């Protein structure tokens, strides 16, 4: 679910993120509670209609999410053909397909910050155990931000090594990538500090000694 | 070389309060290796450049100024606030722009990333939105507000990084080689952006033309300040010395 937000002003876009996640959760439970093909197929049609007609998302936005799981769905169907039968297999596959498409609709119509805010809210009871929900949210946002970046750097290293004729030694790629990522992580830590990430508002002041020395280690 | 402090008009300073940084007898080490030795300066000028060879200690010096690095010896005071004990307050006054904007952008999309700093400072949501809007327009990013940050060009990323600092309303901004990774056109663009800032700035750079019109330039060599004066005095001296 990387940078999947497709800007828009549809009612689905404007619906609260919490509501969309709740619907997604209810849909998930409902799909697994039933074994009827007609119900599951109807759910898929409704989800598709929501995404394509109501949210006016491009078809691409939905298929992009299905592509990576396609092979697993096929394998699942094959498994059921051998073990249980085509009907159960079709239900199992459509059920997962519906969930993947529904998740794609939610992520394509909801900003990461809004999703993160819901997650922060959901995890806020954990505060009694010393967990900081704002941190969880930040970690999720940063993960989404840095995965494509690290993928880019990996591709660049692969190119550089291919240019020098090293197309066999895949492991050799890992070391320079690791070095780059660790070096960047140090700077990202500094940037977080410089941008006040340690100062999350409305919380008790923390001892800052550890963060203060980030740059000196 | 003496300090060439060109008396500059206080026009811009009327909007943003000025910040004075005092560096007292600073020394810093990584392990046993000295990276800064005997640095004592008072920085009050609006535009201060920092030049020197790779490894001469420029980045470490820059990081002292907003408390990202706490000196092993000596102290750094920003408007009288010690970076050692008042890091948070210091970082509110002194913003930092890194060489690699990719390391500084922490949210997936442009608008979200810009709002990050003010959010951390506890700025109200409407006020944050207003400031972000102003920056999106100022730096031509309004059409990209929902774009994934990793799809921006290098120049746009650096503008986003700068905007992400400006929305926090610092009084002085430290730039660590802000144009090193950029092409010529984007280097000029970022240079104009820095020129136009109403805030005070300290700019570490290898692009010597960036220093035109600066009030003061510091030259670092092996962790020491070996020259300190106007660009007219220091830059030719530095170029000659580098051979
Ligand atoms: N985190 C660090 N750990 C160990 N050595 C470092 C670290 N950062 C910088 N150095 C070393 O300190 C010296 C000065 O670095 P730096 O301040 O980055 O110089 P400059 O920015 O002028 O290139 C260099 O020799 C560098 O290798
Ligand atoms: Mg440097």
């Amino acid at each position: 679910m990387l940078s999947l937000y497709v800007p828009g002003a549809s009612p689905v876009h404007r619906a609260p993120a919490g509501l969309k996640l709740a619907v997604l959760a209810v849909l998930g439970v409902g799909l697994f509670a039933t074994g009827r093909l007609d119900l599951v197929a109807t759910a898929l049609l409704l989800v598709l209609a929501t995404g394509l007609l109501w949210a006016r998302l491009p078809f691409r936005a939905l298929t992009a999410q299905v592509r990576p799981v396609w092979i697993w769905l096929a394998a699942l169907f094959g498994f059921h053909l051998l073990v249980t039968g085509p009907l159960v297999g079709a239900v199992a596959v459509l059920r997962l397909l519906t969930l993947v498409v529904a998740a794609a609709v939610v992520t394509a119509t909801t900003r990461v910050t809004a999703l993160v805010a819901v997650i922060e809210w959901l995890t806020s009871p954990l505060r009694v155990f010393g967990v900081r929900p704002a941190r969880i949210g930040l970690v999720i946002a940063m993960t989404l931000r840095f995965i494509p970046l690290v993928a880019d750097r990996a591709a660049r290293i692969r190119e550089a090594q291919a240019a020098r004729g090293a197309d066999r030694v895949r492991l050799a790629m890992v070391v320079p990538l690791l070095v780059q990522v660790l070096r960047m992580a140090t700077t990202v830590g500094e940037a977080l500090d410089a941008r006040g990430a340690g100062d999350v508002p409305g919380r008790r002041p923390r001892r800052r000694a550890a963060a203060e020395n980030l740059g000196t280690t | 070389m003496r300090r060439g402090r060109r008396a500059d008009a206080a026009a811009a300073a009327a909007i943003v309060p000025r910040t004075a940084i005092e560096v007292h007898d600073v020394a810093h080490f990584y392990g046993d290796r000295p990276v800064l030795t005997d640095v004592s300066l008072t920085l009050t000028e609006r535009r201060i450049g920092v030049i020197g060879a790779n490894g001469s200690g420029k980045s470490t010096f820059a990081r002292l100024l907003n408390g990202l690095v706490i000196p092993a010896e000596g102290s750094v005071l920003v408007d009288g606030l010690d970076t050692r004990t008042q890091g948070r307050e210091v970082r509110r006054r002194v913003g930092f722009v890194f060489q690699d904007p990719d390391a500084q952008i922490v949210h997936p999309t442009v608008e979200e990333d810009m709002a990050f700093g003010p959010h951390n400072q506890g700025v109200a949501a409407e006020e944050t939105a207003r400031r972000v809007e102003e920056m999106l327009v100022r730096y031509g990013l309004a059409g990209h507000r929902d774009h994934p940050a990793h799809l921006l060009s290098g120049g746009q990323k650096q503008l986003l990084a700068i905007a992400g600092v400006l929305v926090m309303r610092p009084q002085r901004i430290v730039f660590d080689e802000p144009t090193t990774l950029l092409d010529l056109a984007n280097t000029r663009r970022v240079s104009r952006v820095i020129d136009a800032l109403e805030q005070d700035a300290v700019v570490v750079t290898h692009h010597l033309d960036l220093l035109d019109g600066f009030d003061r330039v510091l030259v670092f060599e092996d962790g020491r300040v070996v020259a300190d004066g106007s660009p007219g005095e220091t830059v030719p001296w530095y170029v000659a010395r580098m051979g």
Side-chain angles (χ1 to χ4, degrees):
Chain A
M1 45 178 265
L2 297 170
S3 51
L4 295 172
Y5 181 65
V6 180
S10 77
V12 185
H13 282 84
R14 280 184 277 115
L19 177 64
K20 285 185 270 193
L21 285 177
V23 170
L24 190 59
V26 169
L27 180 70
V29 172
L31 283 169
F32 280 94
T34 179
R36 278 173 55 185
L37 184 60
D38 55 342
L39 284 183
V40 176
T42 310
L44 178 59
L45 286 179
L46 281 177
V47 167
L48 281 173
T50 305
L52 298 174
L53 305 177
W54 205 11
R56 287 188 225 98
L57 294 171
F59 194 56
R60 247 184 334 96
L62 305 184
T63 52
Q65 295 313 296
V66 176
R67 208 171 302 126
V69 295
W70 201 232
I71 186 87
W72 298 111
L73 293 178
L76 182 65
F77 191 63
F79 170 81
H80 277 289
L81 275 186
L82 294 175
V83 179
T84 53
L87 182 67
V88 181
V91 170
V93 167
L94 284 185
R95 186 187 271 157
L96 286 179
L97 187 63
T98 308
L99 268 183
V100 170
V101 176
V105 171
V106 171
T107 47
T109 57
T110 316
R111 282 170 207 273
V112 172
T113 26
L115 287 176
V116 164
V118 174
I119 292 163
E120 286 178 12
W121 177 75
L122 285 174
T123 51
S124 55
L126 297 179
R127 211 174 266 154
V128 292
F129 303 112
V131 174
R132 303 186 351 137
R135 277 297 148 93
I136 296 175
L138 180 60
V139 166
I140 293 169
M142 287 179 63
T143 306
L144 294 173
R145 153 76 184 127
F146 284 103
I147 285 175
L149 192 77
V150 173
D152 274 359
R153 302 264 153 130
R156 236 183 285 161
I157 291 172
R158 203 180 307 125
E159 278 167 18
Q161 298 198 342
R164 292 159 59 198
D167 50 53
R168 267 182 346 112
V169 202
R170 280 298 160 84
L171 241 172
M173 224 195 89
V174 177
V175 175
L177 184 62
L178 209 60
V179 170
Q180 282 195 15
V181 167
L182 288 177
R183 190 176 295 157
M184 173 167 280
T186 309
T187 315
V188 171
E190 289 182 333
L192 285 174
D193 232 18
R195 298 182 69 188
D199 310 350
V200 175
R203 307 273 183 280
R204 66 202 133 75
R206 287 190 309 135
R207 285 200 21 227
R208 297 192 45 81
E212 216 98 73
N213 284 313
L214 241 176
T216 59
T217 46
Chain B
M1 202 173 297
R2 271 186 316 112
R3 177 179 305 174
R5 189 186 298 195
R6 226 187 305 151
D8 56 359
I15 313 162
V16 180
R18 307 289 303 278
T19 291
I21 303 179
E22 294 164 63
V23 180
H24 290 298
D25 303 318
V26 161
H28 196 64
F29 309 86
Y30 288 119
D32 288 338
R33 203 154 58 101
V35 285
L36 289 176
T37 310
D38 202 13
V39 180
S40 285
L41 298 159
T42 301
L43 308 176
T44 54
E45 293 79 2
R46 267 178 50 69
R47 291 290 178 267
I48 299 171
V50 176
I51 54 180
N54 290 331
S56 57
K58 305 181 300 295
S59 294
T60 306
F61 173 73
R63 282 163 166 74
L64 286 176
L65 305 181
N66 75 337
L68 284 177
V69 168
I70 304 300
E73 291 169 15
S75 60
V76 177
L77 304 182
V78 174
D79 290 338
L81 302 165
D82 193 327
T83 58
R84 195 184 304 276
T85 52
Q86 282 160 301
R88 178 205 280 226
E89 192 47 45
V90 164
R91 279 188 281 277
R92 276 177 181 259
R93 288 168 197 245
V94 183
F96 201 100
V97 174
F98 295 79
Q99 174 178 335
D100 183 358
D102 269 331
Q104 181 167 352
I105 300 168
V106 296
H107 274 269
T109 66
V110 171
E111 189 173 11
E112 289 167 338
D113 188 73
M114 270 195 208
F116 178 63
H119 172 76
N120 290 335
Q121 291 179 322
V123 175
E126 312 82 67
E127 168 66 9
T128 300
R130 214 179 48 71
R131 292 187 193 178
V132 166
E133 195 58 40
E134 181 193 331
M135 286 301 150
L136 283 167
V137 172
R138 190 197 291 187
Y139 293 135
L141 293 168
H144 301 280
R145 68 174 73 231
D146 291 316
H147 284 196
H150 78 277
L151 297 182
L152 296 179
S153 74
Q156 285 171 327
K157 280 184 192 168
Q158 193 55 285
L159 291 177
L160 171 57
I162 294 172
V165 171
L166 285 177
V167 288
M168 298 172 72
R169 301 271 161 93
Q171 299 169 11
R172 185 180 280 276
I173 303 178
V174 178
F175 294 86
D176 189 4
E177 301 193 27
T179 58
T180 299
L181 300 175
L182 301 181
D183 63 20
L184 192 56
N186 281 308
T187 295
R188 296 222 169 105
R189 175 133 199 233
V190 167
S191 168
R192 280 198 300 272
V193 162
I194 294 173
D195 278 343
L197 290 178
E198 60 241 39
Q199 282 87 352
D200 296 344
V202 174
V203 184
V204 178
T205 188
H206 293 294
H207 286 142
L208 303 177
D209 356 339
L210 242 64
L211 306 174
D212 282 352
F214 270 43
D215 303 300
R216 182 177 178 189
V217 174
L218 311 173
V219 184
F220 275 78
E221 204 173 280
D222 296 332
R224 291 171 192 273
V225 179
V226 292
D228 177 355
S230 71
E233 296 168 308
T234 51
V235 172
W237 180 84
Y238 171 68
V239 171
R241 193 171 169 90
M242 290 294 112

